[in-house]
Amino acid sequence: MKRFISLAIALFMVLGMACATGAQSAFETDVLVIGGGGAGISAAIAAAQQGAQVLLIEKVGYLGGATIMSGGKIPAANTKLQQEAGIEDSVAALARDILRPSNYSARQELVYTVAENAKGVSEWMEEMGVEWRLMDSLYYGQTEYRMLHSVDNGAGMTTKMIDYLNSLENITVLFEIPGTGLVTNGKGEVIGATANSKELGEITILAKNVVLATSGFAANEDMLRKYIPEIVDAYPMVAPGATGEGILWGMELGAAVDNMHAYQGYGFYCEGVGAMDQGIANRGGIMVNLNTERFCNEYDGYSQIAPHVIAQPKHHVYLIFDEANAQATNLTRYEEKDLLIKADTIEELAEKTGLDGGKLAAVVDAYREGIEKGEDVMNRTKLPDSFEAPYYAIYMTADLRHTQGGLVTDVAAHVLTEDNEVIQGLYAAGGVTEGFSTHAGADYMSGNGLLQALVFGKIAGERAATEVRGSAEYVPYTGTGLDNYK
Ligand SMILES: Cc1cc2nc3c(=O)[nH]c(=O)nc-3n(C[C@H](O)[C@H](O)[C@H](O)COP(=O)(O)OP(=O)(O)OC[C@H]3O[C@@H](n4cnc5c(N)ncnc54)[C@H](O)[C@@H]3O)c2cc1C
């Protein structure tokens, strides 16, 4: 990949010009990938590895999208790292863990496909230089130690993939070229896309096949208001490019969409500091709203907690914890920003936070009683040994990370119509597609976002490079399925 200063030079040199009529220029490539996050990078590399000439256009001035912001964690079963650690796992267990939060209502063939391909995609990424470590903690919802964590998080993972992409001569990347729409022929097949160039104005890029990798709509307030109003007021920890247009273009062509109400949030965000350590809640911290009430089980999934926090007055709450918890937590960044409130008594804590002293004392007494009985009013399944002074409080909200709904695809990343027909020439992967976390709400298992992007990005790139537009067929899931996994 060469970083071109001039779009015109890039397009002439690498792709050749199809035609230049009137004010609009048209160029040609084998595979056009729109969007350069995890899905788009994977698709471009996979297509190039099949020998295709690939053009990747990216709206902003860098590659990576939400992928580069991410924790860089994906679950995979039966990996080399698990074997070295003596851990026995199975694809069935991974698939079941992904399906559980949606009560098995997510499309199972998508889940089986990512569960089956997670190990392979992690090894494919290793070949590009990505370094994995096996996490030594069970992530929420997982029944086995299987979380692979990239060295240097999402940034480390994405940088290695970009370096590899840069080494491939048959990929051209153009920055600050937002795709503006899909181009179809008389048969309704996708034959390219339009894009906006500061240098050339509106251009048309014709392609044998197009991969949409533009992600979801977490940065589009209108779409959030329409589909997920309960999370609009969350702190937007989102990629700026996630404005949802790829989903809208697909819908204009008659593509089906699903799970548009689903998303991943994170229930612990402190303005001035950023995402917080969920361990404070897991170790026994309780959340109290500005009316001095507990309102949810704090020992729940980090995404699942987010809408509960946002539903409280002013969308903010206090996370309250005790000395033993504080001792186990690195609180330096809160102290440095003067965001840690400490008090020797509950009355003093109420004074310092503005919470109601009588109500706060009652909340803490009830919590202590629950600890003694082993029965918490919010159904916490993990309680601390005790809850003793001094007490601490941090003022916090929740954040939104990405949306989990979009274009419906088959397991080969073909975009489908409402009648399950393949839209010829169009492939999609990652956040622009229907996720498999849940139909609506924040239910989510860690790793779903990246698995969706990386596994289906690779599949989309391979298919787009090797299939002939006009003869692509719906691909059903033909694996053995959950019940038959060993
Ligand atoms: C803070 C944070 C932490 C996360 N941690 C994890 C984690 O540890 N594990 C996990 O599984 N998931 C995680 N996620 C979710 C995960 O990052 C996303 O699900 C995943 O990166 C989506 O990949 P993508 O390629 O579809 O989208 P992105 O990586 O966002 O890439 C989409 C790209 O398309 C570009 N684009 C959009 N529109 C256009 C257009 N019109 N023309 C051209 N380009 C366009 C965007 O600018 C962007 O670069 C996290 C998300 C966030 C925000």
Side-chain angles (χ1 to χ4, degrees):
M1 193 275 289
K2 298 164 258 352
R3 202 180 224 281
F4 289 97
I5 297 167
S6 161
L7 170 72
I9 294 171
L11 291 171
F12 284 126
M13 272 177 55
V14 185
L15 306 177
M17 199 162 192
C19 61
T21 48
Q24 197 171 334
S25 310
F27 304 88
E28 277 182 314
T29 187
D30 292 339
V31 174
L32 171 64
V33 178
I34 309 178
I41 293 169
S42 299
I45 291 171
Q49 286 176 335
Q50 296 294 326
Q53 181 69 52
V54 181
L55 175 64
L56 190 167
I57 57 170
E58 168 53 54
K59 178 160 67 176
V60 301
Y62 58 91
L63 294 179
T67 310
I68 207 164
M69 300 164 65
S70 76
K73 301 184 193 96
I74 59 166
N78 302 329
T79 57
K80 195 172 59 208
L81 288 174
Q82 281 185 316
Q83 280 160 16
E84 283 166 11
I87 294 165
E88 279 191 30
D89 199 1
S90 72
V91 170
L94 170 56
R96 203 180 294 120
D97 290 349
I98 295 175
L99 284 163
R100 195 180 305 107
S102 76
N103 296 323
Y104 296 83
S105 65
R107 259 179 67 214
Q108 303 207 0
E109 61 264 43
L110 298 180
V111 176
Y112 302 150
T113 303
V114 292
E116 287 164 0
N117 284 283
K119 174 175 176 269
V121 95
S122 72
E123 289 167 355
W124 183 62
M125 291 165 73
E126 241 168 17
E127 287 163 19
M128 298 176 206
V130 175
E131 288 178 72
W132 299 112
R133 304 274 182 270
L134 185 65
M135 293 194 72
D136 60 1
S137 61
L138 276 180
Y139 252 59
Y140 177 80
Q142 280 174 23
T143 50
E144 197 43 270
Y145 293 85
R146 64 164 79 95
M147 197 60 128
L148 298 176
H149 185 195
S150 164
V151 170
D152 294 333
N153 307 314
M157 180 187 97
T158 313
T159 305
K160 294 286 185 190
M161 293 180 80
I162 294 170
D163 287 347
Y164 183 78
L165 179 144
N166 284 342
S167 73
L168 298 177
E169 280 300 317
N170 49 340
I171 302 180
T172 302
V173 180
L174 298 176
F175 296 95
E176 296 181 350
I177 305 286
T180 51
L182 296 170
V183 178
T184 53
N185 62 15
K187 293 185 270 184
E189 299 170 347
V190 173
I191 57 167
T194 51
N196 219 341
S197 149
K198 283 181 199 142
E199 203 177 331
L200 297 178
E202 173 115 322
I203 57 170
T204 299
I205 300 160
L206 301 177
K208 291 177 182 158
N209 284 311
V210 175
V211 178
L212 266 183
T214 47
S215 196
F217 55 90
N220 180 327
E221 193 177 324
D222 289 343
M223 287 179 82
L224 284 180
R225 281 197 190 284
K226 177 169 179 184
Y227 294 108
I228 323 177
E230 73 271 25
I231 207 65
V232 169
D233 294 305
Y235 181 87
M237 183 80 122
V238 300
T243 42
E245 57 267 39
I247 298 174
L248 300 176
W249 303 337
M251 288 167 83
E252 280 165 24
L253 296 186
V257 291
D258 209 349
N259 301 344
M260 292 293 279
H261 307 277
Y263 61 96
Q264 184 213 339
Y266 186 77
F268 306 90
Y269 188 90
C270 175
E271 279 114 332
V273 167
M276 297 167 64
D277 172 12
Q278 190 186 0
I280 303 175
N282 290 350
R283 284 187 289 273
I286 52 173
M287 290 195 282
V288 172
N289 69 17
L290 301 184
N291 294 333
T292 324
E293 300 152 332
R294 265 183 86 194
F295 55 89
C296 78
N297 173 358
E298 302 88 355
Y299 187 64
D300 203 346
Y302 55 74
S303 180
Q304 284 85 341
I305 286 174
H308 294 272
V309 172
I310 296 305
Q312 304 312 306
K314 297 190 179 170
H315 320 299
H316 279 74
V317 303
Y318 280 102
L319 178 60
I320 295 178
F321 51 104
D322 74 346
E323 180 63 18
N325 201 332
Q327 291 297 330
T329 310
N330 183 350
L331 294 167
T332 315
R333 54 193 190 133
Y334 305 95
E335 285 168 322
E336 281 172 359
K337 299 269 174 161
D338 213 10
L339 292 169
L340 184 68
I341 300 167
K342 184 176 178 185
D344 289 327
T345 63
I346 289 296
E347 297 70 45
E348 187 190 344
L349 193 69
E351 241 170 65
K352 287 184 168 172
T353 54
L355 295 171
D356 181 289
K359 281 165 108 178
L360 189 58
V363 164
V364 171
D365 283 348
Y367 188 48
R368 284 208 193 94
E369 255 173 56
I371 292 170
E372 264 171 43
K373 280 199 230 160
E375 185 186 59
D376 178 54
V377 287
M378 292 292 164
N379 287 323
R380 280 185 71 115
T381 52
K382 188 174 173 199
L383 290 161
D385 295 336
S386 61
F387 197 82
E388 300 301 335
Y391 304 103
Y392 298 79
I394 297 172
Y395 190 60
M396 51 157 271
T397 183
D399 70 48
L400 168 66
R401 304 249 158 136
H402 70 277
T403 53
Q404 275 275 303
L407 303 173
V408 173
T409 60
D410 63 11
V411 295
H414 297 122
V415 177
L416 302 176
T417 65
E418 296 282 356
D419 302 325
N420 255 13
E421 279 178 14
V422 170
I423 298 182
Q424 296 294 327
L426 189 61
Y427 300 75
V432 72
T433 63
E434 159 197 11
F436 40 77
S437 293
T438 185
H439 289 294
D443 286 330
Y444 182 78
M445 202 194 75
S446 299
N448 283 1
L450 288 180
L451 274 183
Q452 183 185 5
L454 299 166
V455 170
F456 283 110
K458 181 170 184 283
I459 291 172
E462 286 165 354
R463 291 275 175 174
T466 53
E467 291 185 341
V468 177
R469 185 179 64 224
S471 57
E473 288 182 4
Y474 175 86
V475 178
Y477 172 76
T478 52
T480 47
L482 187 64
D483 295 337
N484 298 320
Y485 282 131
K486 294 280 177 282

